[in-house]
Every structure is written in structure tokens, then in C-alpha cells.
Amino acid sequence: MSDDPSMQQPDDGWRVGVLFSRSGPTGVTESEHFFGTALAIEEINQLGGVLDRPLIPVVYDPKGDIAEYRKLATRLLLEDEVNVVFGCSRSSSRKAVLPVIERNNALLWYCSFYEGFEYSPNVIYTGAVPNQNSVQLAAYLMQNRGTRFFLVGADYIYPRESNRIMRDMVEQHGGEILEEVYLPIEAGPSELREVLADIKAQQPDVVFSTLVGQSARLFYQLYRDFGLDPKTMPIASLSMAEEEIRLIGPALCEGHITSATYFGSVQNESNQRFVALWRKRFGDRPTSTWSEMAYTQVHLFARALQRAGSMDRRKLVEAARAVSFDSPEGRVTVDAENNHCALTPRIGICRADGQFDIAWEASEPVRPDPYLSTFGFSEFWLR
């Protein structure tokens, strides 16, 4: 897929925008979003497209710059005449483009897990919200690892909100937050070493990390240098997945814990097919929750478009609420009340080969509750 709109196919299909950063602080994970999106578009087109018309991607790289997200979203909608955009990863980029999306009555498909507490009629949220990952992670850790937590995160919306939710859940059940530390998104070795020294001094039962990008990878790489053992004091995360683990070095990540709705080790026919398609297209690069959800949401969109027969935002949203997709993680549906997806939570423990042993998984998809409006702490403990 070319970044230059002049190199796109003739306009005889369904034009869609693709807006993920393949460089900058989150370039690794957003590249996974991009590859998952590309794989789904190619697969759909090879099968004849939607209603006998191909999906035509118009692609830009915002390079992790929030102003660029807004600028390029505007360009997609006004100059490229796109009405549907697959894009954004961090909450800050989503919030930057949302006014542009809403003002032009377009539709954003947002595949990242995020902190919740948002609804827009112009967004389909296909990533997990706290009642589909944070709740399960807190429960697993307190039941299996201990009650003394150290929180460290990047200084922006998602980490702060995720830590607020984690603090509430831990303290509601008699746990203790020893410290809550925030670092710049591109924090360097000296800043990370200072935090790790503090962790070593305080000896928590678990470290909950919402660091992102290169800082997160460096944090994991430095962890054992301070004599910290994942078997007795794991880093727990909502984001550390297979591709970043490959870049860190899988042996350094063995024993650390991630809560996600998908792992490459999930055993079902849809995932076997997805992994085979992925390997044929991308070689040794592993699948992850980042690539899987991007792949899944394009298939959900294609089913909605098949049903609606139109790129009209209202018709597409109505249709999206009526379809489902047997994705690599399991059946995914869009909730008609909040435009978020029912997903299957899982807890994974990293192995030395970079894959995850699934320590726990829900027996069925969990309905999204982005505002934690019906969540009771009596439901906190895993069954």
C-alpha cells in the first residue's frame, strides 16, 4: 500500500483511510496495526472485494506526531474524499482526530485497547476496555502474585487512567500501591534506572507498567540488571506483546505477565488460519493483539459494508451492530449501546520462546462496559 494517493488504484472501489504511525515512539506497535490492516484488505480483495468492488486504501504515516494525525485525518476526509478511517493507537491521537471525524460525519475504526470512558457515534471501538483486561489482570495478580503494587507509566492519558483504575481495584481489595511514577514517553536509560532502583528498594510483589514504545522495551531489558526476577516480581502489562518481546529478547521476558484478548498461542481454527496467512505474508514476525485486532476490525467493517451497501456513516454503524466475525481471538460483535466490542479476556505468561502460556481465559466474550457503569467489585475475582 503506497503512502502517495497519486499511486492509488483508480477510483472503482471503496476508498478507506489508513492512519497508523510506522515511525516515531509507537512505530513498532502501530506498524503491527498497519500490517494487520493490510493483510485483511489484501485478503478481502483477493476474495473479490465487497459487493464485487475492492477496498482501496489511502495510507499516511503521522510519525507519532499528534498534529500530523489531525492534519492527515483532515486531508483524508476533505481532499481524498474518504469517509471511513482505520487508525490511531494512543488515546492522545484518537482524541486529536475525533473532532475532525465528527465534524465531517465520518467513521473511525479504533482497534487499540484503551482506558474507556468515551463514546462517539462516529467511532467503532474494537479494542479492549478496562472490564475486559484491567479487571482480570488485577484479579489474577492479587490472587496469584501478591497485594503490593508498584505502578510506572508514560505521562499521558491512557497510563494515568489505567493506573487510576488499577489503584481503585487493588485498594478496594485490601492491596497497597507502594508508588505511582510517570516518565516522559521517550524516557531514557537514566530515568528508567532510577525507577528500577526504587523498585529494588521497595520490593513490591508486582510491577504494573504502562510504559510504551522504546522506553517500555528498555525497561524490560534493564530489569534483570537490578537483580529483579520475573518469577518472583513480574512486570504486568496490558500492552507488552509478541513483536516487542522479540525485539527485547524473549529470554529477558520469560515470566512477565500480559493481559490481552489475543495471544498468538490461542488454539482455534480461525487463529491457525490467521497465523498461516500472516507468516506467508510477513515471515517470522509474530502475530500479536496489535495486529490481530486491526485485522479483525477490517473484516467486521467488510461485513457491515456488505450489509449496508453504502459508506454512509449511519448505515455502516447500524450494520456493524448486526454482524459478527469469528476472529482469531474468538467471536467478536459490536455492542449496540456503546459501539464497543464484546471480546474474550485472557492472561498470558511469557515463555522463553516469545510466545505466551495462557494462564486464564474467559469462558465466553465479555460485554464491553467502557464506563464501568455496572461493574461491581463482587465480580472482581476470576472464576
Side-chain angles (χ1 to χ4, degrees):
M1 295 195 293
S2 171
D3 284 352
D4 183 356
S6 67
M7 298 298 289
Q8 303 293 338
Q9 305 170 48
D11 194 7
D12 57 355
W14 309 101
R15 292 165 68 83
V16 296
V18 180
L19 192 62
F20 294 117
S21 291
R22 280 165 287 147
S23 55
T26 56
V28 172
T29 50
E30 291 201 53
S31 289
E32 293 185 72
H33 282 333
F34 173 79
F35 293 135
T37 302
L39 184 65
I41 289 174
E42 290 170 0
E43 181 185 10
I44 289 163
N45 285 345
Q46 287 170 2
L47 294 172
V50 180
L51 299 173
D52 299 320
R53 298 173 63 192
L55 301 180
I56 301 176
V58 182
V59 183
Y60 294 114
D61 178 1
K63 299 179 173 61
D65 186 303
I66 297 304
E68 280 294 295
Y69 279 98
R70 188 181 299 111
K71 173 185 172 183
L72 293 172
T74 302
R75 181 173 175 180
L76 282 167
L77 302 183
L78 300 185
E79 297 180 27
D80 299 317
E81 298 181 341
V82 161
N83 197 49
V84 169
V85 177
F86 302 103
C88 303
S89 183
R90 291 186 297 175
S91 288
S92 51
S93 58
R94 184 190 70 255
K95 289 183 179 296
V97 307
L98 189 54
V100 178
I101 295 287
E102 291 180 334
R103 188 163 55 245
N104 291 279
N105 200 26
L107 181 60
L108 173 67
W109 290 76
Y110 180 71
C111 62
S112 286
F113 49 87
Y114 84 112
E115 69 279 359
F117 298 93
E118 181 179 294
Y119 165 80
S120 170
N122 296 80
V123 182
I124 300 291
Y125 306 83
T126 59
V129 288
N131 80 304
Q132 297 167 319
N133 58 8
S134 293
V135 168
Q136 291 78 12
L137 181 59
Y140 178 84
L141 294 172
M142 292 189 73
Q143 285 179 270
N144 295 279
R145 297 306 177 112
T147 60
R148 301 169 69 252
F149 284 56
F150 189 110
L151 312 184
V152 56
D155 193 6
Y156 72 100
I157 301 166
Y158 177 71
R160 285 190 174 274
E161 282 298 296
S162 294
N163 283 336
R164 180 184 64 81
I165 292 166
M166 183 63 71
R167 175 183 287 275
D168 286 348
M169 289 187 292
V170 169
E171 292 180 345
Q172 283 272 355
H173 273 75
E176 181 183 4
I177 304 299
L178 301 180
E179 195 159 344
E180 184 172 344
V181 179
Y182 292 96
L183 299 175
I185 289 176
E186 298 186 72
S190 61
E191 294 161 300
L192 294 168
R193 286 192 179 99
E194 186 175 337
V195 173
L196 286 164
D198 195 9
I199 291 170
K200 183 175 182 178
Q202 299 209 39
Q203 290 291 304
D205 296 315
V206 63
V207 176
F208 179 53
S209 170
T210 47
L211 296 168
V212 297
Q214 177 60 32
S215 295
R217 295 191 292 275
L218 188 55
F219 186 69
Y220 278 69
Q221 287 173 331
L222 294 171
Y223 199 74
R224 292 175 189 261
D225 291 350
F226 283 77
L228 304 175
D229 185 354
K231 292 180 181 178
T232 56
M233 188 194 301
I235 302 172
S237 171
L238 303 172
S239 62
M240 188 54 67
E242 290 87 343
E243 172 60 10
E244 285 196 289
I245 285 167
R246 184 180 71 85
L247 296 174
I248 293 166
L252 293 177
C253 296
E254 184 180 8
H256 290 311
I257 298 170
T258 298
S259 177
T261 57
Y262 171 85
F263 295 102
S265 54
V266 167
Q267 295 296 313
N268 64 44
E269 289 185 11
S270 295
N271 189 43
Q272 290 172 1
R273 182 173 175 279
F274 172 58
V275 170
L277 281 171
W278 180 270
R279 286 178 177 165
K280 183 178 179 181
R281 183 67 173 81
F282 301 115
D284 291 336
R285 178 188 289 265
T287 61
S288 73
T289 189
W290 299 92
S291 55
E292 183 271 337
M293 203 67 246
Y295 171 87
T296 290
Q297 73 172 10
V298 176
H299 278 283
L300 275 173
F301 159 74
R303 281 159 171 71
L305 180 57
Q306 180 83 27
R307 185 181 181 94
S310 167
M311 294 289 269
D312 176 78
R313 192 273 311 168
R314 182 184 58 80
K315 292 179 180 178
L316 274 176
V317 170
E318 287 179 359
R321 293 167 174 172
V323 300
S324 66
F325 178 54
D326 287 324
S327 78
E329 69 167 80
R331 175 154 293 207
V332 175
T333 55
V334 179
D335 192 289
E337 291 186 8
N338 54 43
N339 284 2
H340 290 68
C341 288
L343 305 171
T344 303
R346 294 176 169 92
I347 305 291
I349 300 176
C350 189
R351 305 191 308 234
D353 65 356
Q355 288 294 323
F356 284 83
D357 286 325
I358 298 175
W360 176 87
E361 63 183 335
S363 58
E364 61 185 13
V366 171
R367 185 182 178 190
D369 184 10
Y371 291 93
L372 292 178
S373 58
T374 60
F375 173 71
F377 285 99
S378 62
E379 301 168 18
F380 180 81
W381 302 108
L382 300 181
R383 295 170 174 80

